[in-house]
Amino acid sequence: MHSEKIIFPSATGVELSARLDRPEGPVRAAAILAHCFTCSKDIAAARRIAGRLAGLGIAVLRFDFTGLGHSGGEFANTNFSSNVADLLAAADWMAGQNMPAQLLIGHSLGGAAALRAAPQIESLRSVITIGAPAEPGHVAHNFGGKLNEIQEKGHAMVNLAGREIEIRKQFLDDISKASLADALPRLGAALLVLHAPRDSIVSIDNASTIFMAAKHPKSFVSLDNADHLLSRETDAEYAADLISAWSSRYLDLASEPVTPDAPEGVVRVAEAEAGGFRQDVTIGGKHQLVADEPISIGGTDQGPSPYQLLSAALGACTTMTIRMYARRKKISLSNVVCDVTHNKSHSEDCEVCDKSATKVDVFHRHIRLEGDLTAEERASLLAIADKCPVHRTLHSQAQIVTDLKDA
C-alpha cells in the first residue's frame, strides 16, 4: 500500500494528523480506523489492518485524536464527545476527497466512539469494534486511585501505559453522561464485534452487551487469547484477516477494470512488510491470498510459498478438468482429490526432460477417483488430467514479458 501523511481540521479547527493508506491499484471503497484510548494511529495492529484492507482495494484513513500522537490540541481538553466529533470530521474529510467512508473500525474507546458516530455517517455500510467498552464510562477504571483527586481538585496526573497524562474533571463528567444505548439500535450498518475473552482491560461482557443491543446484520468473533492491544503479531494478523473477509461482504466495492488481454483480471502482488517475505496477493480485485516463505529461510510462514501456490494451481486445474469431463460424459464420479508435490530432479534422472538442463522441476500428482467407476472410465479420467490448461502451460514454453511501471 501507499501511505500518505494527511492533515485535516477537527470540528474545533485543530489540525489532526493522519495517514491515508491507499491500495496499489484503484480505490474500490474507503474506511476510517479509530485507535484505542491514549494510543495512536501508528500502533502495529492498526498498520496491519490497514494493509490487509488496502489489499482489497480499500483506502484507510487512520488518524490521531486531538492531543494524541502528532495531532494538535491538548489532550487534557478532550473527552469522549470530542473523539466522536473528530471521527465525524474525518468522515467529512474523506467524503470531500470523493472517498465516502463505508467502513468504520474502532479499537477500545475508539470502538465506542465509532458506535456513537455511526448513525451520523450516511455512507456507512459496516462497523467493526475491537475490544470496545459498552459504555464510555468504563475507561474511568484506568484512573485508579486518582478518581477522588480529579473530583476534588478538578484534575490529576494519571499514569497510562507508562505515560503521565493529565485528566480533568470535565473528562469524567463527559464519559459519565455519554451512552451508546440510543446509538446501538440505529447504527444503520452491519456490525462485527471482535473481543478477546481474556481481555484484562475491557471484559468480554462488554462485547455481549454491544452485540445484544445492536440489530441484525451483526456478528461476533472471539479473538481467543489475544491481549487488549493485539500486541502479538499473530493476533493482529488474525484480526486483520477477519476484518478484510467479513467487511467485503457488506461493502459496495467498485469493480476492477478487466482488460481484453487479461480476461481473468489482474493478479496483484505487493509486499506486506519490507523486512520479511510476506506478500499480499489480490486476484481480480475480489480474492485475497497471502504468500510467504518458511521460517527456516527468513519468512514468517503465514502463507504458502510461491511453489506451493503453483502446485495448488496445478491441482485445482486438474480436479476441475476431471470433473468437467465426468459431467460431460455422465460418468458416476462422486469425488476427486489431487495431491501435488514439487521437487527438483537431475535431468539425467528424467526420461522426458531436456538433458541439457542441470535440474528440472518435477510435479507429482497423486489422483484419487471415487465412485462406481469401470476400469475404462478410470483410465479416461486419468488421461484427461494431462489436458488441464495449467498442465499444458507448465509443459509448454511460456513467455513472460516484464516492464517497469512508474511509481
Side-chain angles (χ1 to χ4, degrees):
M1 65 184 180
H2 300 291
S3 189
E4 307 173 30
K5 291 184 179 179
I6 300 294
I7 298 292
F8 67 92
S10 71
T12 60
V14 171
E15 289 190 340
L16 299 181
S17 176
R19 283 196 174 275
L20 179 61
D21 299 314
R22 291 179 176 269
E24 293 286 344
V27 174
R28 305 176 64 212
I32 298 173
L33 197 155
H35 61 71
C36 53
F37 183 54
T38 73
C39 297
S40 82
K41 65 183 183 302
D42 298 315
I43 64 170
R47 291 198 307 271
R48 287 191 170 88
I49 291 168
R52 194 58 52 82
L53 290 173
L56 270 179
I58 301 171
V60 182
L61 181 76
R62 44 190 172 101
F63 70 97
D64 292 326
F65 285 114
T66 299
L68 292 172
H70 297 96
S71 288
E74 293 292 329
F75 177 78
N77 294 327
T78 67
N79 49 44
F80 179 73
S81 295
S82 70
N83 286 351
V84 175
D86 285 350
L87 261 178
L88 295 174
D92 288 342
W93 185 86
M94 289 291 279
Q97 306 302 308
N98 293 319
M99 291 186 290
Q102 293 190 41
L103 172 61
L104 187 55
I105 306 166
H107 190 175
S108 193
L109 190 63
L115 293 171
R116 184 72 178 178
Q120 302 177 64
I121 304 175
E122 292 185 5
S123 58
L124 218 56
R125 297 290 180 272
S126 54
V127 182
I128 299 174
T129 64
I130 307 171
E135 292 296 339
H138 179 277
V139 76
H141 86 279
N142 290 288
F143 308 150
K146 297 284 187 170
L147 284 174
N148 289 337
E149 183 179 346
I150 297 170
Q151 292 287 2
E152 293 171 3
K153 296 183 178 181
H155 66 94
M157 298 302 294
V158 178
N159 188 290
L160 297 172
R163 292 186 299 162
E164 290 292 320
I165 294 178
E166 182 182 9
I167 301 295
R168 294 180 180 173
K169 185 176 181 296
Q170 62 88 17
F171 186 98
L172 295 182
D173 292 342
D174 184 76
I175 59 174
S176 68
K177 297 174 184 176
S179 173
L180 303 181
D182 60 334
L184 281 167
R186 56 186 187 89
L187 291 178
L191 173 67
L192 172 62
V193 178
L194 300 177
H195 212 112
R198 298 182 182 180
D199 190 329
S200 60
I201 305 299
V202 180
S203 62
I204 189 66
D205 58 295
N206 286 270
S208 176
T209 300
I210 292 171
F211 184 81
M212 294 302 294
K215 293 182 178 180
H216 286 289
K218 57 184 178 180
S219 307
F220 170 77
V221 179
S222 168
L223 295 178
D224 300 327
N225 61 347
D227 60 23
H228 184 66
L229 294 179
L230 304 181
S231 56
R232 288 191 296 270
E233 181 179 351
T234 53
D235 294 330
E237 292 290 350
Y238 177 56
D241 284 340
L242 288 170
I243 288 170
S244 63
W246 180 88
S247 60
S248 62
R249 181 180 182 89
Y250 296 100
L251 303 183
D252 295 328
L253 293 171
S255 299
E256 285 226 342
V258 177
T259 58
D261 58 336
E264 291 191 352
V266 175
V267 176
R268 179 172 292 116
V269 182
E271 279 190 328
E273 292 184 356
F277 292 120
R278 202 190 109 162
Q279 310 294 312
D280 288 329
V281 184
T282 307
I283 303 168
K286 298 177 181 179
H287 311 292
Q288 274 191 301
L289 299 172
V290 171
D292 205 341
E293 291 285 6
I295 294 173
S296 59
I297 62 171
T300 54
D301 200 26
Q302 293 185 28
S305 71
Y307 271 121
Q308 288 172 329
L309 289 171
L310 186 58
S311 296
L314 176 60
C317 189
T318 298
T319 54
M320 288 178 184
T321 301
I322 291 174
R323 172 53 65 191
M324 289 173 63
Y325 180 81
R327 192 175 294 150
R328 186 169 65 250
K329 296 294 184 179
K330 295 182 171 48
I331 297 174
S332 300
L333 176 68
S334 61
N335 191 39
V336 56
V337 177
C338 181
D339 293 336
V340 182
T341 59
H342 167 259
N343 57 28
K344 299 280 189 177
S345 175
H346 287 283
S347 56
E348 56 267 24
D349 298 332
C350 180
E351 295 180 359
V352 294
C353 300
D354 180 5
K355 301 301 182 180
S356 64
T358 303
K359 282 191 175 183
V360 294
D361 290 273
V362 179
F363 291 89
H364 287 276
R365 287 184 300 186
H366 305 277
I367 299 173
R368 186 170 73 247
L369 305 173
E370 299 177 5
D372 186 16
L373 306 171
T374 66
E376 182 180 356
E377 288 173 332
R378 288 181 178 275
S380 63
L381 290 170
L382 184 60
I384 204 67
D386 289 343
K387 302 293 179 63
C388 96
V390 172
H391 177 107
R392 288 186 294 184
T393 298
L394 291 173
H395 241 290
S396 64
Q397 184 177 3
Q399 183 181 16
I400 300 175
V401 180
T402 305
D403 57 37
L404 186 62
K405 299 183 70 173
D406 292 334

